[in-house]
Amino acid sequence: VNTHHSLSMSIFRVTLLPSQHQYLASSKQSLLRCGLESGLNMIYGCEGGNCGKCLVRLVSGTTERIRHSDFVLSQSQKDRQQLLSCCHAASSDVVMEAVEIGSVSEIDEQTIDARVYRMDRLSESVMSLVLKTPRGQPLTFLAGQYVTLGINGVLTRNKSIASCPCDGLNLEVHVKNRLHDPFSEYVFKHLKKNQRVMISGPHGEFVLDDESDRALILIAFDTGFASIKSLLEHAIALEKEQPVKLYWIVTGGNQPYLENYCQSIVHALDNVSYHPELVAQRSVAAITQVLEKIVRQEPAIRQSDVYLTLPVEFQDNAQKLFVAEGLEHWRVDTIQML
């Protein structure tokens, strides 16, 4: 291990085995953090050198220790060139063996006692909650999945995760203010910062096909934007170069509650476009009409990966439309209870 320290920052290429995934790593940031921020689903726990879950084996190249670790490697682990990826940075191009999550079936059910870290009113009717998990106990999940939240042991609700899997310690969910809904009313009227919220999950198979190089068409419906946001951030982290079209269907005279967020991504990235679709009436006919319009104006939609969030009452018509139009690569996510 190279322990030479330099004030300048260098960038190196890291190759993971056996997947052959590659990413760029800074000499000032851990191998793990650089991999997570590049959209790779690397296994980790504390990110602080305590748990040993991020253990990798160095095949070639050199690294530099950037953080003290309490986790003690055995002599045989040292002999095999194993190291904690959260505590080492690349000091040359690196090839290393690392465990990555390949599918939802590889993720264990987790139960985590989290706390409310932040509450932001995104609009009059939508609240963003950021839930912080205990240090050393991040939620392992894939972009697009959802969790079950429990408050006071009584109120429960399934919520799509709106944030990127690169940060399993801070989980964002969106809650809509709905009359006569005890969960929603509690969140808007009584929930406080630092209050405990139990998280269990993750659930669902509405996840991005990381290996696909087909164009992406992401279609969100109201607060179903949460799981689409997670997919979008994951696709951006993977630095996908294909076109990404983001549609947001908003009903009932509302406006998209993260309009500035969407516009900022469009301004920052040449391959992303954003198209809000405002629908006055929340009906099967109106929603089907919007979907037909999107299909008609996207000539390459049959060769694209389409991800759509919809309430269950609209899904039959959407699926019939996609089949009739000859779409091959599409996934529909039932919006989790708002």
Side-chain angles (χ1 to χ4, degrees):
V1 175
N2 185 350
T3 56
H4 173 68
H5 288 268
S6 168
L7 293 176
S8 62
M9 183 181 75
S10 301
I11 301 294
F12 301 105
R13 182 171 298 281
V14 178
T15 303
L16 301 185
L17 300 179
S19 69
Q20 298 292 335
H21 289 150
Q22 293 189 328
Y23 64 93
L24 298 179
S26 153
S27 59
K28 297 298 181 184
Q29 200 171 23
S30 76
L31 289 160
L32 173 65
R33 178 48 37 197
C34 292
L36 293 173
E37 291 181 356
S38 297
L40 299 180
N41 300 311
M42 297 170 69
I43 299 288
Y44 73 104
C46 65
E47 264 197 278
N50 300 315
C51 71
K53 288 182 181 177
C54 69
L55 205 62
V56 298
R57 188 176 82 84
L58 190 65
V59 177
S60 66
T62 57
T63 66
E64 178 180 349
R65 178 184 286 275
I66 58 170
R67 179 184 290 115
H68 169 76
S69 61
D70 290 331
F71 183 84
V72 179
L73 273 69
S74 68
Q75 190 57 50
S76 66
Q77 287 172 323
K78 293 176 183 176
D79 291 343
R80 294 188 70 239
Q81 295 291 301
Q82 289 186 291
L83 53 85
L84 297 177
S85 59
C86 72
C87 295
H88 289 79
S91 53
S92 74
D93 287 351
V94 165
V95 177
M96 63 188 193
E97 290 179 356
V99 179
E100 296 172 79
I101 300 165
S103 67
V104 294
S105 63
E106 296 173 27
I107 304 176
D108 293 331
E109 171 94 13
Q110 300 149 75
T111 301
I112 299 173
D113 188 357
R115 293 188 180 273
V116 178
Y117 177 65
R118 213 171 66 234
M119 302 175 67
D120 297 319
R121 287 291 285 266
L122 301 179
S123 72
E124 282 187 20
S125 61
V126 179
M127 178 87 76
S128 164
L129 299 182
V130 176
L131 306 174
K132 184 176 272 299
T133 70
R135 187 158 183 77
Q137 199 180 4
L139 180 78
T140 301
F141 71 100
L142 297 179
Q145 291 193 289
Y146 68 94
V147 290
T148 303
L149 304 182
I151 301 176
N152 296 338
V154 178
L155 300 168
T156 62
R157 182 60 46 85
N158 291 337
K159 297 302 303 175
S160 294
I161 304 168
S163 46
C164 175
C166 60
D167 185 1
L169 292 171
N170 297 282
L171 307 169
E172 180 186 356
V173 298
H174 298 162
V175 181
K176 191 166 186 177
N177 194 4
R178 296 166 66 92
L179 287 173
H180 313 302
D181 172 19
F183 184 92
S184 166
E185 289 187 349
Y186 187 89
V187 167
F188 276 80
K189 294 179 181 177
H190 306 293
L191 192 67
K192 298 286 189 292
K193 188 175 177 181
N194 290 323
Q195 192 167 334
R196 294 171 62 179
V197 177
M198 292 300 297
I199 297 173
S200 60
H203 316 291
E205 299 186 0
F206 185 71
V207 297
L208 201 68
D209 181 353
D210 290 359
E211 306 300 330
S212 171
D213 57 4
R214 292 181 290 270
L216 274 173
I217 296 178
L218 307 175
I219 308 172
F221 182 97
D222 284 345
T223 44
F225 183 72
S227 56
I228 292 293
K229 177 176 178 284
S230 183
L231 293 182
L232 177 63
E233 291 185 359
H234 186 52
I236 291 170
L238 288 168
E239 297 186 343
K240 286 187 170 290
E241 296 178 356
Q242 60 263 45
V244 179
K245 303 277 189 77
L246 172 62
Y247 288 88
W248 194 349
I249 301 170
V250 181
T251 64
N254 296 315
Q255 292 290 318
Y257 56 83
L258 282 174
E259 183 83 10
N260 290 342
Y261 167 87
C262 296
Q263 297 291 358
S264 68
I265 288 177
V266 171
H267 290 149
L269 299 170
D270 293 336
N271 64 323
V272 179
S273 62
Y274 165 59
H275 314 272
E277 297 285 347
L278 307 183
V279 182
Q281 187 180 8
R282 182 183 163 130
S283 68
V284 172
I287 302 309
T288 303
Q289 191 173 9
V290 172
L291 293 176
E292 287 173 345
K293 172 190 165 187
I294 293 171
V295 170
R296 277 199 309 271
Q297 70 189 24
E298 291 291 347
I301 196 167
R302 290 165 191 80
Q303 290 80 44
S304 303
D305 287 344
V306 181
Y307 295 85
L308 168 67
T309 62
L310 272 183
V312 68
E313 63 263 31
F314 304 128
Q315 288 187 8
D316 277 353
N317 278 33
Q319 292 174 6
K320 287 173 185 173
L321 171 65
F322 287 176
V323 170
E325 292 292 333
L327 274 64
E328 293 184 25
H329 311 285
W330 53 273
R331 295 182 185 181
V332 179
D333 184 34
T334 301
I335 292 178
Q336 301 309 317
M337 282 291 291
L338 304 176

